[in-house]
Amino acid sequence: MAWEGKGKTAVVGLGMSKLTRRADKPLGALALDACYAAIADAGLKPSDIDGLATYPDQPFRGAGNRDGEDLVNALFLMTHGEFAPDIKWYAQISTGMIASAPIEGVNALMSGACNYVLFWRAMHIPKGTYNSFRGYQAGGDGQFGAPYGHVHGYQTHAMAYRHYLNKYNHNREKMAALVTNSRKNANLNPNAFFHEQPMSVEDYLNARMIADPLALFDCDVPVEGCTALVMTTADRAKDLKNKPAYIAGYGQNTAHRPEYMTYMIDDYLAAGRPHAGKIYERAGMGPKDIDVAELYDGFSPSTLYWLEAAGFCGEGEALDFVQNGNVSLTGSLPLNTFGGSLSEGRLHGMGHLAEAVRQVTDRAEGRQIKGANTSIAIDGSPLLRGSGMIFTREP
Amino acid sequence: MTSNTPRRVVPQPDELTQPFWDAAAENKLVVQRCQDCQFWSHPPRIMCNKCHSLNQKYEQVSGKGRLYSWAVMHMQSITGFEDRVPYTTLLVELEEQPKLLLLSYMDGSDEGLKVGQPCEVYFEKVEDFTLPQFRVLK
Ligand SMILES: [Zn+2]
């Protein structure tokens, strides 16, 4: 039996700022623009919003954390947003990454804590060198990495990816199929950072290395910008102007393991299968019921791990699964139809959620999968943490 | 070291990690081990990763292991390693326990490396610290 919350809540509004390298206004102002756009898109007034939810984590250690400048927290929007004078509920959740915030939004709406939840994610690129470790001392777990020249998430992802390639006897050339497919989709997405730039297999293969086997286009593109969604109950959604994207089920990573990078390399299936399983179980569905998949690609191998953990193909088979147009807009499983974080821009999974909403409400323009009834969005990496949701056209 | 060579990053020991660095200074590799269930944990934790006991002590290990994975770093984005790219960071699985993994540094790229190659510990002085490092045995 499916979960009693299935189809009881929905996303009813979408708003996006432009995604650029350097925005012409501070992040807090950009976020407010996207939030007001999402509210207007839903046919609501800002004063209707009485619930707020966001994911607050920065992409790497040492990033700034001034509210409204480096990131946009609930406190900033409560202070500067012209929402309901009495915000009834808010959540700011880092565990489980971005979908944890709308998951809590679902719970708040179902409990009656509030009526309309605004959920946003805003990302900033500081001036100067991005993502560098400039300390002379490393504390915590980092003292066993930094003195050896190993600091960054991408270095650990590279090690995990090499382990995967070796274990299943693949080569990184096969990844070109997935990355160029995402770029083709981004070329159909006017808001994508790489909208105007096509990518050939040669472009992918010739790009410079970051941490071998990860090269430049295996890493998502950092952007400044914000995307916002408005959620409400299915009952209230009926009276609003957009087709609702009903939330059928959700799930989070609940693997029992210490959070340390080198423990995560070989357990993406042990961790990812129960995570995807919870989403399916609540929705009363399985992988065969999914029409469109938006699977996180902060680094390209993460999408491979999700394809396998969510049951779209078998263990070690994802690099073969993505060949021959199988994940294109006309393939058996349209994947990252908006371009993913690799080609739309790094919004930490917000782009995946927004596109999953568009696909079941016929709002995906030139990349719309005709008649898509179900979509899944999963963020994070099963090597680390994550959360996800299934959206449906009908409740 | 010339004045324009950036200093290497050094560890900042704390109560939990000090014994690891003290042992390294005597050219010994120690790893935290649960005194109740004998499970090894690295990096050290206040509670056993397997049985949740608080009864943890450091014990010396053989310093032998196998190459589990590696990454070749091309970005000049870590203090003191800017002039070393490309270099390789190794992940070594100690023989004491599956997935007991330690990081290590290796000059240059990864030509000839293979998963599973035997590795052994050596000790490198960096400023006031001694770092346990691993060399891959060809
Ligand atoms: Zn124990």
Side-chain angles (χ1 to χ4, degrees):
Chain A
M1 243 205 29
W3 166 58
E4 67 171 297
K6 180 180 179 179
K8 297 279 171 60
T9 57
V11 173
V12 294
L14 283 173
M16 294 191 84
S17 77
K18 265 204 159 82
L19 303 177
T20 61
R21 294 293 263 208
R22 287 276 174 264
D24 54 8
K25 56 172 86 174
L27 189 68
L30 212 63
L32 280 168
D33 290 350
C35 289
Y36 291 136
I39 296 163
D41 180 61
L44 293 166
K45 302 186 298 296
S47 58
D48 292 323
I49 298 297
D50 57 358
L52 302 172
T54 192
Y55 164 77
D57 282 15
Q58 291 290 61
F60 55 88
R61 216 177 0 208
N65 62 356
R66 194 181 294 149
D67 200 2
E69 183 180 331
D70 301 304
L71 73 177
V72 178
N73 282 333
L75 189 59
F76 183 89
L77 283 203
M78 275 194 276
T79 306
H80 296 287
E82 304 274 334
F83 306 124
D86 184 19
I87 295 289
K88 293 194 182 120
W89 170 92
Y90 66 91
Q92 188 165 302
I93 301 169
S94 63
T95 322
M97 262 191 97
I98 206 157
S100 288
I103 284 171
E104 284 316 306
V106 168
N107 295 340
L109 289 165
M110 283 178 56
S111 77
C114 58
N115 296 336
Y116 297 98
V117 170
L118 176 68
F119 160 52
W120 73 95
R121 175 58 166 167
M123 298 288 291
H124 175 59
I125 303 177
K127 288 202 168 67
T129 315
Y130 193 59
N131 197 3
S132 288
F133 182 90
R134 294 292 169 227
Y136 290 104
Q137 281 191 310
D141 285 351
Q143 69 193 277
F144 301 105
Y148 300 92
H150 190 106
V151 169
H152 302 290
Y154 58 78
Q155 293 176 281
T156 302
H157 278 273
M159 283 183 170
Y161 185 33
R162 181 178 308 284
H163 184 81
Y164 176 93
L165 291 173
N166 181 71
K167 184 171 180 181
Y168 301 112
N169 199 21
H170 290 300
N171 57 63
R172 67 173 296 277
E173 285 70 25
K174 286 186 178 176
M175 184 67 93
L178 188 156
V179 176
T180 56
N181 178 66
S182 289
R183 181 59 64 89
K184 266 185 214 146
N185 295 342
N187 296 150
L188 298 170
N189 173 3
N191 211 47
F193 182 81
F194 285 124
H195 174 55
E196 306 286 345
Q197 293 177 51
M199 186 200 291
S200 68
V201 169
E202 289 68 35
D203 293 336
Y204 170 76
L205 294 175
N206 294 334
R208 64 188 166 90
M209 280 293 171
I210 300 295
D212 191 344
L214 290 180
L216 184 64
F217 296 126
D218 293 306
C219 307
D220 60 2
V221 55
V223 291
E224 294 218 332
C226 179
T227 292
L229 306 180
V230 175
M231 306 161 64
T232 191
T233 58
D235 285 346
R236 289 188 184 87
K238 274 188 238 143
D239 303 323
L240 297 175
K241 71 176 217 218
N242 291 326
K243 280 189 204 171
Y246 294 96
I247 295 163
Y250 64 64
Q252 294 154 294
N253 188 330
T254 55
H256 298 193
R257 60 183 174 194
E259 181 163 335
Y260 178 66
M261 55 191 185
T262 56
Y263 282 93
M264 307 168 203
I265 280 195
D266 201 21
D267 72 346
Y268 70 99
L269 289 173
R273 278 175 173 158
H275 171 181
K278 283 184 198 75
I279 310 176
Y280 288 135
E281 193 184 318
R282 288 194 171 100
M285 295 180 191
K288 295 219 162 15
D289 300 311
I290 301 298
D291 295 330
V292 186
E294 312 295 348
L295 304 177
Y296 192 66
D297 56 350
F299 299 102
S300 60
S302 297
T303 303
L304 305 179
Y305 309 146
W306 283 129
L307 281 168
E308 296 174 23
F312 294 113
C313 60
E315 175 175 356
E317 294 174 1
L319 272 173
D320 293 327
F321 182 80
V322 301
Q323 305 300 318
N324 305 315
N326 197 36
V327 293
S328 73
L329 298 180
T330 54
S332 79
L333 183 74
L335 176 65
N336 293 346
T337 50
F338 64 114
S341 293
L342 296 177
S343 280
E344 189 198 57
R346 176 195 289 161
L347 288 173
H348 275 165
M350 191 69 183
H352 299 73
L353 286 162
E355 180 74 358
V357 165
R358 286 187 206 101
Q359 287 287 353
V360 296
T361 54
D362 297 328
R363 300 186 66 181
E365 301 178 323
R367 57 198 194 275
Q368 178 65 42
I369 306 304
K370 214 171 161 214
N373 288 315
T374 57
S375 59
I376 192 168
I378 312 185
D379 64 43
S381 163
L383 300 173
L384 188 65
R385 56 190 176 141
S387 50
M389 287 183 156
I390 289 175
F391 296 91
T392 56
R393 184 179 291 268
E394 304 297 336
Chain B
M1 185 189 290
T2 60
S3 59
N4 54 10
T5 304
R7 287 168 54 199
R8 279 267 294 274
V9 187
V10 295
Q12 188 171 31
D14 51 47
E15 206 177 332
L16 191 61
T17 65
Q18 188 70 54
F20 179 94
W21 299 113
D22 288 347
E26 297 171 16
N27 287 4
K28 283 182 189 153
L29 178 62
V30 298
V31 174
Q32 191 194 43
R33 191 177 200 190
C34 178
Q35 301 301 298
D36 287 339
C37 80
Q38 279 70 59
F39 191 78
W40 302 90
S41 291
H42 179 85
R45 289 285 182 264
I46 53 154
M47 187 175 279
C48 173
N49 283 323
K50 192 173 179 202
C51 81
H52 324 302
S53 164
L54 295 173
N55 191 8
Q56 309 294 310
K57 284 203 171 73
Y58 284 89
E59 292 184 18
Q60 191 169 357
V61 292
S62 68
K64 293 188 168 65
R66 300 217 164 245
L67 184 58
Y68 191 81
S69 193
W70 69 89
V72 185
M73 179 67 162
H74 289 258
M75 301 293 284
Q76 297 179 304
S77 64
I78 302 173
T79 306
F81 290 88
E82 292 89 340
D83 298 338
R84 294 167 180 252
V85 297
Y87 63 87
T88 304
T89 54
L90 309 173
L91 195 57
V92 176
E93 183 180 44
L94 298 187
E95 67 177 9
E96 276 75 9
Q97 182 175 290
K99 285 210 238 177
L100 180 60
L101 301 168
L102 271 69
L103 286 162
S104 185
Y105 169 89
M106 187 181 89
D107 271 326
S109 197
D110 62 345
E111 262 156 67
L113 285 191
K114 286 194 181 68
V115 170
Q117 275 179 305
C119 302
E120 74 177 12
V121 74
Y122 70 95
F123 294 87
E124 181 198 15
K125 288 285 280 182
V126 177
E127 303 202 4
D128 295 336
F129 286 86
T130 303
L131 304 184
Q133 296 273 17
F134 286 86
R135 67 169 63 86
V136 180
L137 306 173
K138 312 268 165 161

